[in-house]
Amino acid sequence: MQQGPEWDVAVVGAGPAGLSAAHAAASAGARVIVLERAEHPRYKTCGGGLLGVSMRLSAPRLDVPARDRIHAVTFTHDGRRGFTRRSADGPVVTMVQRDDFDHAWCRAAVRAGAIVRENALVRAVSQDEGTATVALADDSTVTARVVIGADGSAGVTARHVGVVFDQQDLGLEVELAASETDRRRWRGRLLLDWGRVPGSYGWLFPKGDQLTVGVIMAKGRGAETKRYLREFVARLGLADRVVLRDSGHLTRCRSDSAPVRRGRVLVAGDAAGLLEPWTREGISYALRSGTWAGTVAAGGGDLSEYDRLIGADLAPEMAAGRRLLSLFGRHPGLVHAVLASPLGWRAFTRFCQGDFSMARVLRRRAVDVAVSLLGGRPAG
Ligand SMILES: Cc1cc2nc3c(=O)[nH]c(=O)nc-3n(C[C@H](O)[C@H](O)[C@H](O)COP(=O)(O)OP(=O)(O)OC[C@H]3O[C@@H](n4cnc5c(N)ncnc54)[C@H](O)[C@@H]3O)c2cc1C
């Protein structure tokens, strides 16, 4: 008698996408293995700002290791015209260090029944009619009914599936040791700065004894990105703080028609190029796509349901984000002014809290026309 594969689901990568996938699949009763090249807790270049959507998916499954909860946001435009707005109804963003957060998700996936194998570098994925096989650097293989690729923005699974990326950005960050004055000054408040280069922006995120300061802009302008970060840190009066970590990472957004699955191999999170094109927020995209991938993979039914979920929910949000990025690139001063208004601030907080969909708002005729006239035309 022919035997089935040892695993129902093999997940490549133990970030938010892979661990939420493993959690969902194991909770549904599937035999799940996660293959991660590093060892948790591991550092990941990331602002660690969790939006409401990410909190809703995480809080029921783990104790979110929050370093701060943000109730106020200061906005500046190239360091000038600063203003601060405060939320009257709860935190706007929750701050985590990614090593803590991902480690907590890892423990949750294990509690749900997944096996996590660390120091397991995946080199390639292949598949036939009934199974998918992952080849590891130590020459071993793992065979499963379904493979979920969640190995980040430069992983091997995106290549196997043929994901096409049409936006690439470089994010640079420093983790700074916060003085007592810094802690008092920034507790509960973050800062966003709209940069000089179209589409770029910078952030200061407080995390108790650390401050995460970063900038992001289109790939291919490395020297300008570095200069922006250096000047931003100096402008914030933080140039003499001890740098605990200094790192960079590429973010890549999929094109609208790119596949998120090939046969029995599904990709989720950054591996699928799923992140918000304007803010480059990706944790909520990783958690949503990971949860769907895990649920569909464990269900044993038609895997194309995963493609449908991405197409119905995340693809329209990304299309809206592309339009807003285009508008923002042309008119950062206008975006700054809108955020200063009560309506603009309300929309911002509701977006961050997860009660507001950019795609839904852009479907309103008047908004759609106004955004198009200002240069944020729909693609195609
Ligand atoms: C500078 C910067 C700031 C950001 N700030 C924010 C923010 O504040 N909020 C937000 O929501 N998003 C932010 N993002 C985006 C966010 O970091 C990503 O979207 C998110 O990490 C995606 O999660 P993931 O699980 O898909 O991938 P990852 O978190 O990258 O996890 C991938 C995992 O796969 C493992 N792996 C990779 N290759 C292999 C392999 N071959 N074999 C085995 N394992 C492998 C890696 O070690 C890693 O653990 C930021 C991104 C950048 C670059």
Side-chain angles (χ1 to χ4, degrees):
M1 195 175 84
Q2 203 189 348
Q3 286 200 326
E6 186 183 356
W7 302 99
D8 295 314
V9 182
V11 179
V12 183
L19 293 167
S20 56
H23 188 283
S27 301
R31 296 162 304 161
V32 181
I33 184 163
V34 182
L35 303 159
E36 163 60 47
R37 70 176 171 195
E39 211 174 299
H40 282 296
R42 57 98 180 86
Y43 187 78
K44 159 81 179 80
T45 305
C46 181
L50 298 185
L51 300 186
V53 174
S54 301
M55 285 301 285
R56 266 176 230 152
L57 284 166
S58 304
R61 295 166 180 85
L62 50 122
D63 196 5
V64 175
R67 296 284 181 115
D68 204 346
R69 295 182 203 278
I70 301 300
H71 288 79
V73 181
T74 297
F75 298 92
T76 56
H77 183 195
D78 196 18
R80 294 186 294 270
R81 298 171 56 208
F83 62 87
T84 299
R85 294 286 176 269
R86 279 169 211 291
S87 161
D89 52 359
V92 181
V93 183
T94 300
M95 289 298 157
V96 294
Q97 287 290 23
R98 280 292 301 276
D99 39 6
D100 297 346
F101 179 68
D102 291 18
H103 195 207
W105 259 105
C106 188
R107 288 194 302 258
V110 169
R111 277 197 304 276
I115 302 295
V116 177
R117 195 188 291 170
E118 298 182 306
N119 302 305
L121 175 69
V122 171
R123 287 244 188 265
V125 183
S126 59
Q127 55 181 313
D128 58 30
E129 241 170 61
T131 60
T133 300
V134 171
L136 287 105
D138 65 2
D139 289 337
S140 65
T141 56
V142 169
T143 300
R145 213 168 30 74
V146 180
V147 165
I148 297 175
D151 45 347
S153 67
V156 296
T157 60
R159 278 199 294 282
H160 177 82
V161 167
V163 181
V164 179
F165 301 95
D166 66 0
Q167 180 185 325
Q168 298 203 50
D169 298 283
L170 173 64
L172 297 180
E173 269 187 348
V174 281
E175 305 284 351
L176 303 176
S179 66
E180 252 323 301
T181 315
D182 296 334
R183 282 173 179 239
R184 277 198 302 275
R185 182 171 176 216
W186 292 107
R187 186 174 297 137
R189 176 167 68 103
L190 64 78
L191 180 140
L192 296 175
D193 177 67
W194 315 126
R196 217 170 293 163
V197 172
S200 67
Y201 82 100
W203 59 88
L204 179 150
F205 288 174
K207 316 249 174 87
D209 58 357
Q210 292 182 25
L211 301 172
T212 304
V213 183
V215 300
I216 196 155
M217 73 173 69
K219 187 187 160 198
R221 314 176 78 139
E224 277 169 285
T225 317
K226 278 187 195 148
R227 188 166 63 237
Y228 182 18
L229 180 60
R230 200 172 50 244
E231 290 177 359
F232 184 42
V233 168
R235 231 165 34 207
L236 291 165
L238 300 170
D240 64 350
R241 299 299 184 276
V242 173
V243 178
L244 302 169
R245 197 169 290 249
D246 183 346
S247 65
H249 197 80
L250 284 181
T251 61
R252 308 201 294 171
C253 295
R254 70 191 281 270
S255 73
D256 198 34
S257 56
V260 290
R261 180 180 63 87
R262 175 173 159 199
R264 337 196 121 260
V265 179
L266 285 56
V267 277
D270 277 9
L274 291 165
L275 73 164
E276 208 288 310
W278 176 22
T279 58
R280 288 78 156 188
E281 183 275 330
I283 298 173
S284 76
Y285 282 74
L287 294 174
R288 283 178 284 182
S289 58
T291 303
W292 293 334
T295 306
V296 170
D302 185 356
L303 295 174
S304 69
E305 173 62 6
Y306 179 63
D307 316 24
R308 195 195 64 72
L309 287 165
I310 299 291
D313 199 318
L314 298 186
E317 284 300 324
M318 287 187 69
R322 273 187 213 102
R323 294 183 67 190
L324 291 174
L325 174 64
S326 167
L327 183 150
F328 168 63
R330 288 178 167 83
H331 308 284
L334 175 69
V335 170
H336 193 61
V338 167
L339 286 165
S341 71
L343 200 65
W345 169 242
R346 178 91 191 114
F348 178 86
T349 52
R350 291 193 58 212
F351 166 73
C352 291
Q353 289 168 339
D355 304 327
F356 179 96
S357 143
M358 289 194 205
R360 213 171 309 139
V361 172
L362 288 188
R363 261 182 239 130
R364 286 189 202 150
R365 178 91 184 121
V367 181
D368 181 25
V369 170
V371 169
S372 291
L373 287 173
L374 288 164
R377 277 176 227 299

